[in-house]
């Protein structure tokens, strides 16, 4: 299917040039094929390759393209683009008004099959909120990205074959702690910030294990986990909230409405991952149908 990839990427590059796109987003798990298309890629501007963290861009491609890491889990075409755009906004690659040409497909088919042209801030299928909040106002971009990866992995994999729902609240931790209460003994108490940092790869299995308990994770702007099993007291009135979302989403909306924190929610029932800021649902990444 290499010929299809060539055709799709060449057309995406032409579209990006014609619409004067700010970026060409290539969501593709076939990195080796991209290397063979280097001549076409390097003629375009703002090329961003979306691939699992474990995948490395070929050295010759690194000269012409940035890489956005996404979790190595099953996602829909649009889901892949959503997580890439959310991360791109956090990293400062995209802003309101950025025009992006997105090339996507499903890894199991082995070729790209979809081209999207998106203007950030106008595309409500991608961004749930029409506003463009500063989603990393009080948290480092690398921390936001790491938590989003873990959330998508938990949503896809569950824990011990069971669905899991939880909340990660990032940043503005002092105010968040004032507006919440501990439901269990703090499992992270007594450990150094380095040992309990979300960026510590050795901690990921522990985080997934504790995701099965009730309550929220509270995380500092530098990634240090303060606690898990926290009940969030601030909640928006459910009458003012979109239908179909549960108590975790209402709690996440409430805490982000009265603090500068950002909240990432995993729905236990649907497996969707949602991001809240300023009391509003910013983006929702749907779990693929099995």
């Amino acid at each position: 299917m290499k010929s299809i990839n060539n055709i799709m990427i060449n057309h995406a590059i032409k579209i990006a040039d014609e619409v004067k796109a700010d970026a060409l987003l290539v969501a593709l798990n076939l990195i080796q094929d991209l290397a063979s298309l280097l001549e076409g890629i390097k003629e375009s501007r703002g090329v961003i390759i979306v691939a699992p963290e474990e995948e490395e861009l070929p050295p010759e491609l690194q000269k012409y393209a940035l890489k956005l890491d996404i979790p190595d889990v099953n996602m829909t075409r649009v889901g892949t683009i959503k997580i890439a755009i959310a991360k791109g906004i956090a990293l400062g690659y995209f802003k309101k008004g950025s025009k992006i040409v997105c090339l996507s497909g499903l890894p199991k088919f082995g070729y790209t099959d979809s081209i999207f042209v998106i203007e950030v801030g106008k595309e409500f299928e991608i961004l749930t909120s029409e506003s463009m909040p500063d989603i990393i106002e009080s948290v480092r971009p690398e921390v936001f990205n790491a938590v989003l990866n873990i959330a998508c992995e938990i949503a896809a994999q569950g824990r011990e074959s069971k669905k899991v729902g939880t909340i990660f609240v990032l940043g503005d931790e002092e105010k968040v702690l004032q507006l919440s209460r501990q439901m269990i003994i703090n499992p992270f108490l007594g450990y150094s910030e380095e040992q309990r940092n979300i960026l510590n790869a050795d901690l990921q299995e522990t985080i997934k294990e504790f995701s099965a308990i009730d309550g929220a994770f509270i995380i500092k702007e530098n990634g240090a986990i303060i606690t898990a099993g926290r009940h969030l007291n601030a909640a928006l009135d459910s009458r003012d909230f979109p239908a179909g979302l549960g108590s975790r989403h209402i709690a996440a909306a409430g805490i982000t409405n009265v603090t500068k924190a950002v909240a990432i929610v995993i729905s236990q029932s649907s497996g969707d991952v949602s991001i809240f800021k300023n009391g509003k649902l910013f983006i929702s990444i749907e779990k693929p149908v099995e």
Side-chain angles (χ1 to χ4, degrees):
M1 291 300 180
K2 184 176 178 180
S3 60
I4 293 180
N5 280 325
N6 274 276
I7 292 168
M8 293 293 290
I9 290 181
N10 287 335
H11 276 290
I13 290 171
K14 288 179 182 178
I15 292 171
D17 290 340
E18 289 181 11
V19 302
K20 295 180 171 57
D22 298 290
L24 171 62
L25 190 70
V26 183
L28 185 63
N29 284 11
L30 305 175
I31 301 299
Q32 64 274 16
D33 281 358
L34 291 182
S36 68
L37 297 172
L38 179 61
E39 288 304 313
I41 292 278
K42 72 181 183 181
E43 296 299 325
S44 188
R45 55 185 173 178
V47 178
I48 300 174
I49 307 298
V50 179
E53 187 175 3
E54 295 75 17
E55 298 270 9
E56 289 189 8
L57 296 184
E60 62 271 25
L61 192 57
Q62 293 178 18
K63 300 176 183 178
Y64 304 101
L66 296 171
K67 179 172 179 279
L68 266 177
D69 295 331
I70 59 172
D72 189 12
V73 297
N74 185 29
M75 287 188 284
T76 65
R77 298 169 181 83
V78 173
T80 299
I81 291 172
K82 282 184 175 184
I83 191 171
I85 289 179
K87 286 180 167 238
I89 291 170
L91 292 168
Y93 295 167
F94 313 134
K95 58 185 178 181
K96 187 173 183 178
S98 293
K99 194 174 291 183
I100 310 169
V101 174
C102 307
L103 181 61
S104 187
L106 295 179
K108 66 180 180 180
F109 294 148
Y111 57 88
T112 55
D113 59 12
S114 307
I115 297 175
F116 303 82
V117 180
I118 294 167
E119 185 171 337
V120 177
K122 287 187 177 180
E123 178 57 64
F124 300 137
E125 183 183 2
I126 301 298
L127 303 179
T128 307
S129 172
E130 60 183 288
S131 64
M132 277 287 293
D134 184 357
I135 56 176
I136 55 165
E137 179 181 11
S138 61
V139 64
R140 297 179 187 176
E142 62 270 25
V143 172
F144 173 83
N145 287 342
V147 175
L148 187 52
N149 277 359
I150 291 172
C152 288
E153 290 173 5
I154 293 172
Q157 301 163 359
R159 198 66 187 162
E160 296 181 352
S161 302
K162 295 180 180 178
K163 293 181 178 180
V164 170
T166 194
I167 308 173
F168 296 93
V169 183
L170 320 177
D172 203 4
E173 59 275 1
E174 290 186 8
K175 194 167 184 181
V176 170
L177 289 173
Q178 292 173 5
L179 296 169
S180 61
R181 58 181 173 81
Q182 197 65 31
M183 299 168 62
I184 62 168
I185 295 174
N186 181 1
F188 294 96
L189 187 65
Y191 293 90
S192 69
E193 286 203 354
E194 182 179 359
Q195 290 174 309
R196 53 187 167 89
N197 196 291
I198 200 82
L199 301 177
N200 182 351
D202 295 334
L203 193 63
Q204 292 198 7
E205 286 304 312
T206 299
I207 294 168
K208 292 176 181 178
E209 189 68 32
F210 286 133
S211 67
I213 65 176
D214 288 334
F217 290 84
I218 310 300
I219 302 174
K220 292 178 65 173
E221 57 85 24
N222 65 357
I225 302 174
I226 297 174
T227 187
R230 195 85 177 174
H231 180 271
L232 305 177
N233 296 331
L236 293 181
D237 192 320
S238 60
R239 292 174 298 180
D240 301 325
F241 209 64
L245 297 180
S247 57
R248 286 191 180 90
H249 300 86
I250 294 171
I255 200 68
T256 62
N257 189 51
V258 293
T259 69
K260 295 179 180 180
V262 59
I264 298 177
V265 182
I266 304 167
S267 170
Q268 185 171 1
S269 59
S270 68
D272 294 351
V273 175
S274 302
I275 302 171
F276 289 85
K277 185 75 172 77
N278 298 337
K280 296 181 179 180
L281 176 58
F282 171 61
I283 195 167
S284 184
I285 302 164
E286 297 82 8
K287 182 181 178 182
V289 177
E290 299 293 342

